[in-house]
Amino acid sequence: MAVDLLLGLQWGDEGKGKIVDVLTSKYDVIARFQGGPNAGHTLVFNDKKYVLHTIPSGIFHENKINLIGNGVVIDPVILNKEIEKIKGEGVNISKSLFISRKAHLILPTHRLIDAASEKSKGKNKIGSTLKGIGPTYMDKTGRNGFRVGDLENDNWEKKYSELSKKHQQLISFYNVELDFSLSELENEFFEAIKKLRKIKFVDSEDLLFKYQDENKSILAEGAQGSLLDIDFGTYPFVTSSNTTAAGACTGLGVSPNSINDVFGIFKAYTTRVGSGPFPTELFDNYGEKMSKVGNEFGATTGRPRRCGWLDLVALKYACRINGVTKLMMMKTDVLSGFDKVLICTNYKYRGLIIDNLPYDLSDESIEPIYQEFNGWSEDLRKLKNSDELPENLNKYIDFLEKELNIPIVIVSVGPDRKETLFR
Ligand code: GDP
Ligand code: IMO
Ligand code: MG
């Protein structure tokens, strides 16, 4: 049985959590392969809302395996808080949640380095979620990292304190004022480590080999989005992992030829949280309406998300990089009531009309070129079937399918599990 991937095609927050939850019934295993608690994946069902940061979004379904893969970075403090929050739902963590021994841990000092680095950059800051993501991946690639499996060695505390000391020197190197008590942070961390030990540590690639041999179906859940990819995103305004399809191979140990469907998920418009270029960003009433109706505030940090029209140039690029086989369009309901809806089909760049992403997307000469569509006014959240979609919306969808040459198989019309139309 093959592995399917689900990935965000924009700058994150496309609605990955909702769709993974919707699709989970079809799979045996849901696995996160990169990122960490910078992610905020929202699930809504039975009139309740849950935000997951590290735990895969299949966790609310019975008899499913939820795996945190080797490519993920874990903050035990945040993971424990997540577990406490979902316990009320009758989730049996000991049976349904496994962690890769090869996943790296976010130490309190990683978070402090993140804060110091951002502060030292002033107005050029990345706008990181301050969860310690960058510094943890730096230690991973620098071969200094602290892995979950290290906790099984007797000398783990020595390893921890050596790394922590090194980090403290680095923090003072930044020479910025930070308000923190390391001993408080460490107490909280060590308490969380005790609880982390109650979760099953596994050699996750071996487990996935076994599941594949047993013909179990696996869905890999991406975090962030393709334009935040460390290689292909809007560098340096990106996260520190490969958010694109290849990241699932390195972040789980599944081989490229075992991958079947790649589900690419995008909003019917675009949002971005944090700094960095965003060619189709709006500063007018249309943008304000997207933000208000779409309730566009970060699920992890609560920061307002910047809003803009759909960028087809960027979307085409993301589909190509990921080898997307099926598309899912989210938050379509948010655009109801707009008199017109725009799609950026090309950029004007240094006097030329182009259809590719320039090396530096922050180049001030980039100007989006739009195609205009008539809006629709129907309340989509009431619809039960994709046959009922308004004609003007169908024109919008048909245009995108034709341009991308990939079918849009889901149109999402509300945050709830049930507000999902299959095509
Ligand atoms: P993720 O990080 O990709 O999982 O996305 P987030 O959870 O950060 O952000 C998506 C937000 O949109 C959440 O608040 C969801 O509850 C909400 N959402 C998801 N799909 C839809 C939809 O089709 N319509 C509306 N109005 N909201 C949606
Ligand atoms: P989900 O999985 C949206 C953004 C941050 C910042 C940049 C780097 O919910 O879609 P980091 O903390 O990773 O060093 O921040 O990336 N960012 C996200 N934006 N959704 C996310 O995750 C994000 N995770 C990180 O805002 O601009
Ligand atoms: Mg999110």
Side-chain angles (χ1 to χ4, degrees):
M1 187 68 91
V3 180
D4 292 337
L5 310 184
L6 183 137
L7 309 153
L9 299 179
Q10 297 162 315
W11 279 288
D13 302 330
E14 296 88 352
K16 299 175 290 294
K18 166 182 166 163
I19 294 297
V20 170
D21 174 53
V22 167
L23 297 182
T24 294
S25 55
K26 297 188 186 157
Y27 293 89
D28 300 302
V29 183
I30 309 296
R32 275 277 306 270
F33 58 88
Q34 47 68 235
N38 47 351
H41 295 182
T42 315
L43 284 65
V44 180
F45 54 90
N46 300 339
D47 296 323
K48 282 195 205 150
K49 175 173 138 174
Y50 296 91
V51 180
L52 299 171
H53 301 287
T54 328
I55 300 177
S57 300
I59 198 71
F60 294 106
H61 294 252
E62 266 178 65
N63 302 323
K64 306 287 176 184
I65 302 296
N66 286 268
L67 177 69
I68 300 176
N70 56 280
V72 178
V73 291
I74 300 171
D75 185 330
V77 177
I78 295 178
L79 178 57
N80 277 315
K81 285 186 188 151
E82 273 182 82
I83 291 173
E84 287 309 313
K85 278 200 186 140
I86 64 172
K87 262 188 183 162
E89 285 304 314
V91 177
N92 186 340
I93 292 290
S94 61
K95 274 197 180 153
S96 58
L97 184 67
F98 297 160
I99 301 182
S100 169
R101 285 194 175 87
K102 293 193 175 78
H104 283 242
L105 286 183
I106 302 176
L107 311 189
T109 39
H110 282 130
R111 271 188 276 146
L112 296 173
I113 297 169
D114 201 359
S117 163
E118 284 286 80
K119 200 159 186 191
S120 73
K121 286 190 165 133
K123 68 174 178 34
N124 296 323
K125 69 177 182 184
I126 306 297
S128 120
T129 59
L130 301 179
K131 303 295 175 199
I133 305 295
T136 307
Y137 279 115
M138 274 163 65
D139 269 343
K140 174 178 178 172
T141 50
R143 297 162 295 180
N144 296 309
F146 191 103
R147 302 195 288 179
V148 168
D150 291 332
L151 294 171
E152 294 173 324
N153 289 337
D154 291 340
N155 67 349
W156 73 273
E157 281 177 279
K158 184 168 172 276
K159 179 165 181 160
Y160 169 88
S161 70
E162 281 170 6
L163 190 53
S164 174
K165 276 199 195 104
K166 216 189 290 180
H167 287 165
Q168 288 167 54
Q169 287 181 337
L170 188 54
I171 293 161
S172 51
F173 163 82
Y174 280 105
N175 201 20
V176 291
E177 248 182 69
L178 290 182
D179 186 21
F180 66 91
S181 153
L182 184 56
S183 63
E184 269 175 36
L185 294 175
E186 287 191 327
N187 286 343
E188 187 186 43
F189 179 79
F190 288 123
E191 278 308 306
I193 291 290
K194 281 186 207 155
K195 293 189 185 149
L196 190 74
R197 291 181 188 283
K198 294 187 182 145
I199 304 172
K200 202 161 179 194
F201 300 165
V202 293
D203 297 314
S204 56
E205 64 281 32
D206 287 340
L207 193 66
L208 290 177
F209 297 156
K210 179 172 148 296
Y211 290 151
Q212 289 174 85
D213 291 344
E214 291 169 357
N215 268 332
K216 286 202 161 77
S217 52
I218 299 165
L219 177 65
E221 173 180 1
Q224 290 79 55
S226 302
L227 301 175
L228 288 170
D229 182 277
I230 182 74
D231 283 284
F232 300 107
T234 46
Y235 193 89
F237 300 100
V238 293
T239 191
S240 298
S241 63
N242 281 115
T243 60
T244 44
C249 297
T250 55
L252 289 174
V254 296
S255 63
N257 62 352
S258 67
I259 293 170
N260 182 35
D261 264 322
V262 180
F263 302 122
I265 170 165
F266 67 101
K267 277 179 187 164
Y269 48 101
T270 311
T271 65
R272 167 161 213 174
V273 59
S275 330
F278 181 177
T280 63
E281 184 168 14
L282 290 168
F283 302 94
D284 59 10
N285 291 341
Y286 289 101
E288 228 168 80
K289 193 165 169 186
M290 286 168 189
S291 159
K292 201 166 163 212
V293 181
N295 192 23
E296 294 295 356
F297 293 91
T300 296
T301 58
R303 293 177 292 177
R305 296 178 183 141
R306 302 152 63 191
C307 296
W309 297 118
L310 189 61
D311 185 340
L312 189 58
V313 183
L315 201 55
K316 271 185 188 162
Y317 179 75
C319 285
R320 193 71 202 259
I321 292 276
N322 289 306
V324 171
T325 60
K326 291 185 176 120
L327 287 162
M328 297 166 175
M329 186 163 84
M330 309 300 290
K331 301 195 88 158
T332 318
D333 54 302
V334 174
L335 295 184
S336 282
F338 280 58
D339 59 336
K340 60 175 185 183
V341 184
L342 270 53
I343 294 178
C344 165
T345 52
N346 295 87
Y347 297 144
K348 198 167 167 199
Y349 173 61
R350 298 185 179 171
L352 295 172
I353 308 289
I354 60 166
D355 60 3
N356 61 301
L357 290 190
Y359 172 71
D360 182 7
L361 213 56
S362 21
D363 189 313
E364 300 217 325
S365 78
I366 294 176
E367 215 183 288
I369 298 176
Y370 291 110
Q371 181 151 338
E372 189 175 314
F373 293 78
N374 291 324
W376 54 91
S377 55
E378 291 83 348
D379 178 4
L380 304 182
R381 295 185 67 171
K382 291 200 182 114
L383 305 186
K384 295 276 167 274
N385 198 303
S386 62
D387 296 347
E388 302 161 346
L389 291 174
E391 195 187 334
N392 284 347
L393 170 55
N394 275 328
K395 284 186 186 156
Y396 189 77
I397 293 173
D398 290 347
F399 176 79
L400 290 172
E401 283 191 324
K402 198 161 153 257
E403 286 289 318
L404 295 163
N405 199 20
I406 304 168
I408 297 180
V409 297
I410 283 181
V411 176
S412 176
V413 293
D416 195 279
R417 244 184 213 173
K418 289 190 210 137
E419 294 168 313
T420 310
L421 306 177
F422 291 86
R423 296 173 83 238

